[in-house]
Amino acid sequence: MDMNIPSGATDKCEPGFTYDDGPHAPSHWQGVCNAGHMQAPIDITKSEKISIPPLPPLQMNYQPANLDMVNDCNHYLIKLRFPANQWLKYNRKPYRLSEITFHEPGETAVSGKRPPMSLQLLHLSPEATFLIIEVPVVAGKENPLIKTLWEHIPGGGKEQSVEGVKINVMDLLPADHGYYRFPGSLTHPLCNEGVTWFLLKNPIEMSEAQIAQYKKYYHDTARPLQPVNDRPIFESK
């Protein structure tokens, strides 16, 4: 399980896509972005409620790791990177937490509403399939871990590893891990499908100032909502 996705560190900030109008707008994204039938993000308006069990729980065992941040200017992302691990299990399968990315606003909507921000935990299975857990962020009290993170954001295209600064992903999660689950895709080109998505039902808080600080780097980085089509959406209860 030592496979990982590229860091995004680069010498050139020349993104090949944009979130706003123009020749590289979402309607012109490459790959399966405009051809697939299970694209993400979506607006969850109805779901099938199932108890845990039989719906499997998210078995999270994230451990403290050295802070490793990338300012991925070609994907409009601030990212946290993680060493090889098997910190998540779902339905008895282990997953590696590869990175955490931030989006403003959050991508997945519920009943037409998106949160002010979200973070997405991107995992890889041994077979290199993706599992993404999206954590909604709402404005509230200052988040101590986010305060530390924002103090170490590197310049565009750069990666920064900070010795002696440990972060624990558990500090970026709500206490209740209830979720929505649905099949989807990556939300930037090439929009590969076959991704298992989880949206946590409970948010975490950041202060208004922390959200504003993030927007100085990247803002409006949520892909337009995609047709739900006939995909199954489960909700834990």
Side-chain angles (χ1 to χ4, degrees):
M1 287 206 47
D2 52 0
M3 70 192 73
N4 207 355
I5 54 181
S7 72
T10 180
D11 291 332
K12 287 187 176 176
C13 292
E14 297 175 338
F17 69 98
T18 64
Y19 285 96
D20 45 20
D21 293 336
H24 301 292
S27 59
H28 298 291
W29 286 3
Q30 303 296 309
V32 293
C33 301
N34 289 289
H37 296 286
M38 291 284 174
Q39 290 289 292
I42 60 171
D43 180 13
I44 298 171
T45 57
K46 61 179 188 291
S47 57
E48 182 181 346
K49 293 184 172 69
I50 302 179
S51 297
I52 297 179
L55 206 59
L58 287 163
Q59 295 177 278
M60 300 169 171
N61 187 33
Y62 303 114
Q63 300 295 314
N66 284 329
L67 176 58
D68 181 358
M69 291 188 91
V70 177
N71 184 336
D72 184 350
C73 52
N74 287 319
H75 292 90
Y76 312 98
L77 292 172
I78 304 294
K79 306 200 295 196
L80 301 176
R81 305 269 296 167
F82 294 92
N85 62 76
Q86 291 189 342
W87 289 341
L88 177 73
K89 276 192 177 164
Y90 187 73
N91 209 9
R92 297 189 295 280
K93 183 187 286 258
Y95 289 86
R96 171 190 179 142
L97 174 64
S98 173
E99 61 186 36
I100 294 178
T101 63
F102 297 86
H103 291 263
E104 188 283 322
E107 293 206 287
T108 306
V110 178
S111 300
K113 289 191 68 171
R114 281 174 149 162
M117 273 188 74
S118 74
L119 44 113
Q120 294 176 11
L121 285 63
L122 185 65
H123 302 78
L124 283 167
S125 75
E127 298 80 30
T129 58
F130 286 105
L131 182 155
I132 296 175
I133 300 173
E134 185 169 19
V135 184
V137 174
V138 296
K141 59 180 181 290
E142 184 177 77
N143 186 306
L145 179 49
I146 293 295
K147 183 175 189 293
T148 300
L149 297 181
W150 285 186
E151 288 168 355
H152 292 95
I153 295 176
K158 300 292 187 284
E159 180 169 7
Q160 177 165 296
S161 300
V162 186
E163 287 296 325
V165 177
K166 296 271 191 188
I167 60 162
N168 191 339
V169 177
M170 298 304 288
D171 295 335
L172 291 172
L173 297 171
D176 184 326
H177 300 155
Y179 61 77
Y180 299 96
R181 187 189 85 196
F182 58 92
S185 70
L186 299 180
T187 59
H188 56 73
L190 303 166
C191 308
N192 308 47
E193 296 191 342
V195 178
T196 303
W197 272 85
F198 294 82
L199 173 68
L200 295 193
K201 294 163 66 175
N202 294 282
I204 63 167
E205 294 183 5
M206 292 186 199
S207 68
E208 294 273 13
Q210 288 178 320
I211 294 171
Q213 194 173 348
Y214 183 81
K215 290 166 73 171
K216 291 177 184 173
Y217 292 90
Y218 301 110
H219 58 86
D220 300 311
T221 54
R223 184 188 185 193
L225 294 167
Q226 302 297 304
V228 173
N229 297 323
D230 293 329
R231 77 185 85 190
I233 302 173
F234 297 108
E235 177 184 352
S236 65
K237 68 174 183 179

